[in-house]
Amino acid sequence: MMYLKSFLILSLLLFLHGVSPAYAEGDELSRFYLGAGAGISRLDPDLGNTPYSFSDKERFGWKLFAGYDINDRLSAEGYYANLDEVELAPAGAIGYESYGVNALYYFSRKGEYLMDWSLFANLGIGRMNNAANVPYEREHDYHLMYGAGVERELWHGMSLRLQGELYDKDAHLYSVSLVKRFGAKKVEPVIAPVIVVQPPEPVVEPEPVLLDSDGDGVLDDKDACPDSAPGTRVDEQGCKLQEVITLKGVVFASSLATLIGESEQILDAVVLTLRRYPGLKVEVAGYTDNRGSRTYNEKLSQRRAEAVRSYLIEHGVAAEQLTAMGYGPENPVAGNETAEGRALNRRVELHMLEQEPAPENATPRDEGPAVE
């Protein structure tokens, strides 16, 4: 009956996962994670009519675990827990360790109901191993394990987890754990073998003549719009700056304000443009799709807008040039009924708030690095 009841509970969790609205950007990035924790274990073997007794049920326990975030609400996890041993009087001890698999269901995520904390419950099956120097009898090798806890995001994929778990009816663990999540795989550069050859005689090439025919500050060989009017503000390709610029390719880890992919390369080009026009005032605007609560989406878009602003300032743009604003699901540019439309609505834009006239004697920009 106990197994049937637990199975029904797990089925209910999976059902709730299917019908509850996932919070913003749940299917963008699934992640592996590793964790380790320690805390207080409570061991309470049934001594029955034996001559043994014990006075201290609380011991030190620790656990290791690895898992995979299937989506925003559901994770699968394998674990190993060492619960220490309970000492018996007049002599003897029984040790406990458990390992198994379980599913975690997150009822709320950061920014929804518990502010910075996520609330979850877990349910699974495990195997109990005991080591003892007294005669004992284990009722069954395999058991259901279940528990609940809260988790808080820290930095760089690290999280703090507080959790209580029950391994069978006579073993508990109340632990504090650190969890490290790993995002998209990092592509390592391929280093070609070095072959030493006799260098050819140097050929002296004439220095190229650097021209800026339209006087917009971008050299002709870099200018995609060579007919800009004098005094026009232009981007790094020499084309007129628009009042609203969508930063295509600037993306974040799922449900976080952490830049991933080619985001930094794109923002480096933005740095070069804004540094050329120190009088230009810009609003960094963050947007999400319409899934999840409006409050959560507005907070997430604000954090992402601030992350982009911070990156630009750290790489040389004056802080007084930039403001950040999160608009959540406002002003969609596509329908939210499809994954493609939702991906377009999750974006960062630059809004030109004040455009002072460009210097009359604009000169071509340096080709050196933007970071000071």
Coordinates of all heavy atoms in Angstrom, one line a residue, residues 282-335:
V282 N 21.6 56.3 -23.7 CA 20.9 55.1 -24.2 C 20.2 54.3 -23.1 O 20.8 54.3 -22.0 CB 22.0 54.1 -24.8 CG1 21.4 52.8 -25.3 CG2 22.7 54.8 -26.0
E283 N 19.1 53.8 -23.3 CA 18.4 52.9 -22.4 C 18.5 51.5 -22.9 O 18.2 51.2 -24.0 CB 16.9 53.3 -22.3 CG 16.1 52.3 -21.4 CD 14.6 52.5 -21.4 OE1 14.0 52.0 -22.4 OE2 14.1 53.1 -20.5
V284 N 19.0 50.6 -22.0 CA 19.1 49.2 -22.2 C 17.8 48.6 -21.8 O 17.5 48.6 -20.6 CB 20.3 48.5 -21.5 CG1 20.4 47.1 -21.8 CG2 21.6 49.2 -21.9
A285 N 17.0 48.1 -22.7 CA 15.7 47.6 -22.4 C 15.6 46.0 -22.6 O 16.0 45.5 -23.6 CB 14.6 48.2 -23.4
G286 N 15.1 45.4 -21.5 CA 15.0 43.9 -21.5 C 13.5 43.5 -21.7 O 12.6 44.1 -21.1
Y287 N 13.3 42.4 -22.4 CA 12.0 41.9 -22.7 C 12.0 40.4 -22.5 O 13.0 39.7 -22.7 CB 11.5 42.2 -24.1 CG 11.3 43.7 -24.3 CD1 12.4 44.5 -24.8 CD2 10.1 44.3 -24.1 CE1 12.2 45.8 -25.1 CE2 9.9 45.7 -24.3 CZ 11.0 46.4 -24.8 OH 10.8 47.8 -25.0
T288 N 10.8 39.8 -22.2 CA 10.6 38.3 -22.1 C 9.4 38.0 -23.0 O 8.7 38.9 -23.5 CB 10.3 37.9 -20.7 OG1 9.1 38.4 -20.2 CG2 11.4 38.3 -19.7
D289 N 9.1 36.7 -23.0 CA 7.8 36.3 -23.6 C 6.7 36.4 -22.6 O 7.0 36.9 -21.5 CB 7.9 34.9 -24.3 CG 8.3 33.8 -23.2 OD1 7.9 33.9 -22.1 OD2 9.0 32.9 -23.6
N290 N 5.5 35.9 -22.8 CA 4.4 36.1 -21.9 C 4.1 34.9 -21.0 O 3.1 34.8 -20.3 CB 3.1 36.4 -22.7 CG 2.6 35.2 -23.5 OD1 3.3 34.2 -23.7 ND2 1.4 35.2 -23.9
R291 N 5.1 33.9 -21.0 CA 4.8 32.7 -20.1 C 5.2 33.1 -18.7 O 6.2 33.8 -18.4 CB 5.6 31.5 -20.6 CG 5.2 31.0 -21.9 CD 6.0 29.8 -22.3 NE 7.4 30.2 -22.4 CZ 8.5 29.4 -22.5 NH1 8.3 28.1 -22.5 NH2 9.7 29.8 -22.6
G292 N 4.5 32.5 -17.7 CA 4.8 32.8 -16.3 C 4.1 34.1 -15.8 O 3.4 34.8 -16.6
S293 N 4.4 34.4 -14.6 CA 3.7 35.6 -14.0 C 4.4 36.9 -14.5 O 5.6 36.9 -14.8 CB 3.8 35.6 -12.5 OG 5.2 35.7 -12.0
R294 N 3.6 38.0 -14.6 CA 4.1 39.2 -15.0 C 5.2 39.8 -14.1 O 6.3 40.3 -14.5 CB 3.0 40.3 -15.2 CG 3.5 41.7 -15.5 CD 2.3 42.6 -15.7 NE 1.6 42.3 -16.9 CZ 1.9 42.8 -18.1 NH1 3.0 43.6 -18.2 NH2 1.2 42.5 -19.2
T295 N 5.0 39.6 -12.8 CA 6.0 40.0 -11.8 C 7.3 39.4 -12.0 O 8.4 40.0 -12.0 CB 5.5 39.8 -10.4 OG1 4.3 40.5 -10.2 CG2 6.5 40.2 -9.3
Y296 N 7.3 38.0 -12.2 CA 8.6 37.3 -12.4 C 9.3 37.8 -13.7 O 10.5 38.0 -13.7 CB 8.3 35.8 -12.5 CG 9.6 35.1 -12.8 CD1 10.5 34.8 -11.8 CD2 9.9 34.7 -14.1 CE1 11.7 34.1 -12.1 CE2 11.0 34.0 -14.5 CZ 11.9 33.7 -13.5 OH 13.1 33.1 -13.8
N297 N 8.5 37.9 -14.8 CA 9.1 38.3 -16.1 C 9.7 39.7 -16.0 O 10.7 40.0 -16.6 CB 8.0 38.2 -17.2 CG 7.8 36.8 -17.6 OD1 8.6 36.0 -17.6 ND2 6.5 36.5 -18.0
E298 N 9.0 40.6 -15.3 CA 9.5 42.0 -15.2 C 10.8 42.0 -14.4 O 11.8 42.7 -14.7 CB 8.5 42.9 -14.5 CG 7.3 43.2 -15.4 CD 6.3 44.0 -14.7 OE1 6.4 44.2 -13.5 OE2 5.3 44.5 -15.4
K299 N 10.9 41.2 -13.3 CA 12.1 41.1 -12.5 C 13.3 40.5 -13.3 O 14.4 40.9 -13.3 CB 11.9 40.3 -11.3 CG 11.0 41.1 -10.2 CD 10.9 40.2 -9.0 CE 10.0 40.9 -7.9 NZ 9.9 40.2 -6.7
L300 N 13.0 39.4 -14.1 CA 14.0 38.8 -14.9 C 14.5 39.7 -16.0 O 15.7 39.8 -16.2 CB 13.4 37.5 -15.5 CG 14.3 36.7 -16.5 CD1 15.6 36.2 -15.7 CD2 13.6 35.5 -17.1
S301 N 13.6 40.4 -16.7 CA 14.0 41.3 -17.7 C 14.8 42.5 -17.2 O 15.8 43.0 -17.8 CB 12.8 41.9 -18.5 OG 11.9 42.6 -17.7
Q302 N 14.5 42.9 -15.9 CA 15.3 44.0 -15.3 C 16.7 43.5 -15.0 O 17.7 44.3 -15.3 CB 14.6 44.5 -14.0 CG 15.3 45.6 -13.3 CD 15.3 46.9 -14.1 OE1 14.3 47.2 -14.8 NE2 16.3 47.7 -14.0
R303 N 16.8 42.3 -14.5 CA 18.2 41.8 -14.2 C 19.0 41.6 -15.4 O 20.2 41.9 -15.4 CB 18.1 40.4 -13.4 CG 17.4 40.5 -12.1 CD 17.8 39.3 -11.2 NE 17.6 38.0 -11.9 CZ 16.4 37.3 -11.9 NH1 15.4 37.8 -11.2 NH2 16.3 36.2 -12.5
R304 N 18.4 41.2 -16.5 CA 19.2 41.0 -17.7 C 19.6 42.4 -18.3 O 20.7 42.5 -18.9 CB 18.3 40.2 -18.7 CG 18.2 38.8 -18.3 CD 17.4 37.9 -19.2 NE 17.5 36.5 -18.9 CZ 17.0 35.5 -19.5 NH1 16.2 35.7 -20.6 NH2 17.1 34.3 -19.1
A305 N 18.7 43.4 -18.3 CA 19.0 44.7 -18.8 C 20.2 45.2 -18.0 O 21.1 45.8 -18.5 CB 17.8 45.6 -18.7
E306 N 20.2 45.1 -16.7 CA 21.2 45.6 -15.8 C 22.5 44.8 -16.1 O 23.6 45.4 -16.0 CB 20.8 45.4 -14.3 CG 19.7 46.4 -14.0 CD 19.2 46.1 -12.5 OE1 19.6 45.1 -11.9 OE2 18.4 46.9 -12.1
A307 N 22.4 43.5 -16.4 CA 23.7 42.7 -16.7 C 24.3 43.3 -18.0 O 25.6 43.4 -18.1 CB 23.3 41.2 -16.9
V308 N 23.5 43.6 -19.0 CA 24.1 44.2 -20.2 C 24.7 45.5 -19.9 O 25.8 45.9 -20.4 CB 23.0 44.3 -21.3 CG1 23.5 45.1 -22.5 CG2 22.6 42.9 -21.8
R309 N 24.0 46.4 -19.2 CA 24.5 47.7 -18.8 C 25.9 47.6 -18.1 O 26.8 48.3 -18.4 CB 23.5 48.5 -18.0 CG 24.0 49.8 -17.5 CD 22.9 50.5 -16.7 NE 23.4 51.9 -16.3 CZ 24.0 52.2 -15.2 NH1 24.3 51.2 -14.3 NH2 24.4 53.4 -14.9
S310 N 25.9 46.6 -17.1 CA 27.2 46.5 -16.4 C 28.3 46.0 -17.3 O 29.4 46.5 -17.1 CB 26.9 45.4 -15.3 OG 26.0 45.8 -14.3
Y311 N 28.0 45.1 -18.2 CA 29.1 44.7 -19.1 C 29.6 45.9 -19.9 O 30.9 46.0 -20.1 CB 28.6 43.6 -20.1 CG 29.6 43.0 -21.0 CD1 30.4 41.9 -20.6 CD2 29.9 43.6 -22.2 CE1 31.4 41.4 -21.4 CE2 30.9 43.1 -23.1 CZ 31.6 42.0 -22.7 OH 32.6 41.5 -23.5
L312 N 28.7 46.7 -20.5 CA 29.2 47.9 -21.3 C 30.0 48.8 -20.4 O 31.0 49.3 -20.9 CB 28.0 48.6 -21.8 CG 27.1 47.7 -22.8 CD1 25.9 48.6 -23.2 CD2 27.9 47.3 -24.0
I313 N 29.6 49.1 -19.2 CA 30.4 50.0 -18.3 C 31.7 49.4 -18.0 O 32.7 50.1 -18.0 CB 29.5 50.3 -17.0 CG1 28.3 51.1 -17.4 CG2 30.4 51.0 -16.0 CD1 27.3 51.3 -16.2
E314 N 31.8 48.1 -17.7 CA 33.0 47.4 -17.3 C 34.0 47.5 -18.5 O 35.2 47.4 -18.3 CB 32.8 46.0 -16.9 CG 32.1 45.8 -15.6 CD 31.6 44.4 -15.4 OE1 31.9 43.5 -16.2 OE2 31.0 44.1 -14.3
H315 N 33.5 47.6 -19.7 CA 34.4 47.6 -20.9 C 34.6 49.0 -21.5 O 35.0 49.1 -22.7 CB 33.9 46.6 -21.9 CG 34.1 45.2 -21.5 ND1 33.2 44.6 -20.6 CD2 35.0 44.2 -21.8 CE1 33.6 43.4 -20.4 NE2 34.6 43.1 -21.1
G316 N 34.3 50.0 -20.7 CA 34.7 51.4 -21.1 C 33.6 52.4 -21.4 O 34.0 53.5 -21.7
V317 N 32.4 52.0 -21.4 CA 31.3 53.0 -21.7 C 31.0 53.8 -20.4 O 31.0 53.2 -19.3 CB 30.0 52.3 -22.2 CG1 28.9 53.4 -22.4 CG2 30.3 51.6 -23.4
A318 N 30.8 55.1 -20.5 CA 30.6 55.9 -19.3 C 29.2 55.5 -18.7 O 28.2 55.4 -19.4 CB 30.6 57.4 -19.6
A319 N 29.2 55.4 -17.3 CA 28.0 54.9 -16.7 C 26.8 55.9 -16.9 O 25.7 55.5 -17.0 CB 28.3 54.8 -15.2
E320 N 27.2 57.2 -17.0 CA 26.1 58.2 -17.1 C 25.4 58.2 -18.5 O 24.4 58.8 -18.7 CB 26.6 59.6 -16.9 CG 27.8 60.0 -17.8 CD 29.1 59.7 -17.1 OE1 29.1 58.9 -16.2 OE2 30.1 60.3 -17.6
Q321 N 26.0 57.4 -19.4 CA 25.4 57.3 -20.8 C 24.3 56.2 -20.7 O 23.4 56.2 -21.6 CB 26.4 56.8 -21.8 CG 27.4 57.8 -22.3 CD 28.2 57.3 -23.4 OE1 29.4 57.0 -23.2 NE2 27.6 57.2 -24.6
L322 N 24.2 55.4 -19.7 CA 23.3 54.2 -19.8 C 22.4 54.1 -18.6 O 22.7 54.4 -17.5 CB 24.2 52.9 -19.8 CG 25.3 52.8 -20.9 CD1 26.2 51.6 -20.6 CD2 24.6 52.6 -22.2
T323 N 21.1 53.7 -19.0 CA 20.1 53.3 -18.0 C 19.6 51.9 -18.4 O 19.8 51.5 -19.5 CB 19.0 54.3 -17.9 OG1 18.4 54.4 -19.2 CG2 19.4 55.7 -17.5
A324 N 19.0 51.2 -17.4 CA 18.5 49.9 -17.7 C 17.0 49.8 -17.2 O 16.7 50.3 -16.2 CB 19.3 48.8 -16.9
M325 N 16.2 49.1 -18.0 CA 14.8 49.0 -17.7 C 14.3 47.7 -18.2 O 14.5 47.3 -19.4 CB 14.0 50.1 -18.4 CG 12.5 50.2 -18.0 SD 12.3 50.6 -16.2 CE 10.6 50.3 -16.0
G326 N 13.6 46.9 -17.4 CA 13.0 45.7 -17.7 C 11.5 45.8 -18.0 O 10.7 46.3 -17.1
Y327 N 11.0 45.4 -19.2 CA 9.6 45.6 -19.6 C 8.8 44.3 -19.5 O 7.7 44.3 -19.9 CB 9.5 46.2 -20.9 CG 10.0 47.7 -21.0 CD1 11.3 48.0 -21.3 CD2 9.2 48.7 -20.7 CE1 11.8 49.3 -21.4 CE2 9.6 50.0 -20.7 CZ 10.9 50.3 -21.1 OH 11.4 51.6 -21.1
G328 N 9.5 43.2 -19.2 CA 8.8 41.9 -19.1 C 8.2 41.6 -20.5 O 8.8 41.7 -21.5
P329 N 6.9 41.2 -20.6 CA 6.3 40.7 -21.8 C 5.7 41.9 -22.7 O 5.1 41.6 -23.7 CB 5.2 39.8 -21.4 CG 4.8 40.4 -20.0 CD 6.0 40.9 -19.4
E330 N 6.0 43.1 -22.3 CA 5.4 44.2 -23.0 C 6.0 44.3 -24.5 O 7.1 43.8 -24.7 CB 5.7 45.6 -22.3 CG 5.0 45.7 -21.0 CD 3.5 45.8 -21.1 OE1 3.0 46.3 -22.2 OE2 2.7 45.3 -20.2
N331 N 5.3 45.0 -25.4 CA 5.7 45.3 -26.7 C 6.3 44.1 -27.4 O 7.4 44.1 -27.9 CB 6.8 46.4 -26.7 CG 6.3 47.6 -25.9 OD1 5.1 48.0 -26.1 ND2 7.2 48.2 -25.2
P332 N 5.5 42.9 -27.5 CA 6.0 41.8 -28.3 C 6.2 42.1 -29.8 O 5.5 42.9 -30.4 CB 4.9 40.7 -28.1 CG 3.7 41.6 -27.8 CD 4.1 42.8 -27.1
V333 N 7.3 41.5 -30.4 CA 7.5 41.7 -31.8 C 7.0 40.5 -32.6 O 7.1 40.6 -33.8 CB 9.0 41.9 -32.0 CG1 9.5 43.2 -31.3 CG2 9.8 40.8 -31.5
A334 N 6.5 39.5 -32.0 CA 6.0 38.3 -32.6 C 5.0 37.7 -31.7 O 4.8 38.0 -30.6 CB 7.1 37.3 -33.0
G335 N 4.2 36.7 -32.3 CA 3.2 36.0 -31.5 C 3.9 35.1 -30.5 O 4.9 34.5 -30.8

